[in-house]
Amino acid sequence: MIMNVLGLIGWPGVWVALLGISTYTPNWVVWIFMPYFLYGFYRFFNQLTYFRPAFRMRRILRTYPWQILEEVPSGLGKYSEARDDGMWFEFLNPADSDEKIPLVFIKHQRSYWWLRRLDGPRTTPERRAQIEPLWFAGDPRFLAVVAAPARSGKAPKRLHLLYQRPVFDRNCVPETWKASAADINRARRAGAAYTGDDPQPTHSHEPSNISDT
C-alpha cells in the first residue's frame, strides 16, 4: 500500500518536474523526455486502478495469517473444474484434504511477472524457484493473497489478489466446497460479498452471465 501511494505521488511529480525543466531548455530536450511523459502518464493511471485490490488484500491479511506452502501445483490455460480460463494455482480444500480447488488469475493486472513463473511450457526451473515456497493467506474457497518469497525468505513480495468469481459477483452461482457457517462469516470479514447461506456444497459449474469487477 505504501509503495503504491509513493508511486502515485512520484510518477506525476517527476512528470511535472521534467515538464518544468523542458520549458527552460531547447526544444529538442522535450523529445528526450517524451518517453517518460508517455510512460509516466500510463503508470500514474495504473497506480490508481491498483488501489481497490490493494485495499482488498489489506483486509484479507487482517483476517487470515500467512502460510508458507511448498510445491503448490500451478499452470496456464483451462483448469478442468474452474469457471474461468487463465493462470491458476491449485490448493487443497480446508474442509476435505482429498478435494482440490483452483484459484484462477481472473484479473490480469500486474500478473505478467507471475505468468513467466507458473508451470508453463516456457517456465525455466530458475524462474519457478522464485515462487517457491509460496506465501498464501486466505481461503481458496473464497479469496486469498499469494506472494513470492523475498530473497531473505523471511517476507513476502509481489502480492497478488486471487478469488473465486462469486465472491465479488452476485450474479454468479456460488459454490461453498463444504464451507461451514464460520468459514463463510470469516470470508465475509475478509471482504467477500458471498451470498450463499447454505453451508453444504452445491458443486455447480453451470456457466452464467457474469461481468468482471
Side-chain angles (χ1 to χ4, degrees):
M1 179 67 72
I2 294 176
M3 294 303 296
N4 198 58
V5 173
L6 291 177
L8 191 64
I9 298 172
W11 286 105
V14 175
W15 197 93
V16 171
L18 293 180
L19 185 64
I21 293 173
S22 65
T23 61
Y24 296 98
T25 55
N27 291 337
W28 58 266
V29 176
V30 176
W31 294 104
I32 296 178
F33 294 156
M34 189 59 68
Y36 184 88
F37 288 153
L38 298 175
Y39 184 67
F41 189 78
Y42 160 77
R43 286 302 300 265
F44 172 72
F45 283 98
N46 190 48
Q47 295 292 136
L48 284 177
T49 60
Y50 190 66
F51 268 98
R52 189 176 186 182
F55 278 113
R56 284 175 171 173
M57 287 190 288
R58 187 168 180 262
R59 189 168 177 179
I60 292 170
L61 293 174
R62 285 184 169 183
T63 307
Y64 297 97
W66 281 115
Q67 303 176 55
I68 299 179
L69 307 179
E70 302 278 353
E71 299 181 353
V72 177
S74 65
L76 309 177
K78 178 65 177 177
Y79 187 96
S80 59
E81 297 183 8
R83 299 171 185 265
D84 301 276
D85 296 344
M87 304 181 293
W88 50 266
F89 279 109
E90 180 189 84
F91 300 95
L92 296 179
N93 186 342
D96 184 355
S97 59
D98 293 328
E99 187 174 22
K100 298 175 182 179
I101 299 175
L103 270 175
V104 179
F105 285 67
I106 297 175
K107 288 286 189 178
H108 296 289
Q109 182 186 23
R110 297 191 177 188
S111 65
Y112 182 70
W113 187 88
W114 290 91
L115 172 65
R116 295 166 62 86
R117 287 156 181 83
L118 299 184
D119 292 325
R122 298 184 179 180
T123 302
T124 63
E126 293 76 16
R127 285 177 178 165
R128 173 65 191 187
Q130 294 176 15
I131 58 172
E132 185 67 36
L134 183 73
W135 286 63
F136 176 88
D139 187 327
R141 296 169 293 184
F142 303 102
L143 72 180
V145 177
V146 294
R151 289 186 178 182
S152 64
K154 298 180 180 180
K157 68 175 184 179
R158 300 277 182 176
L159 277 66
H160 198 91
L161 173 68
L162 297 178
Y163 56 90
Q164 302 293 345
R165 188 172 287 275
V167 164
F168 299 122
D169 187 349
R170 297 181 183 277
N171 296 320
C172 193
V173 178
E175 181 170 8
T176 62
W177 280 292
K178 305 175 186 175
S180 66
D183 296 330
I184 293 173
N185 289 333
R186 192 180 188 189
R188 285 173 176 162
R189 292 198 304 272
Y194 181 79
T195 57
D197 295 323
D198 186 357
Q200 299 301 318
T202 60
H203 290 290
S204 174
H205 296 288
E206 292 291 329
S208 60
N209 294 326
I210 51 181
S211 58
D212 213 343
T213 58

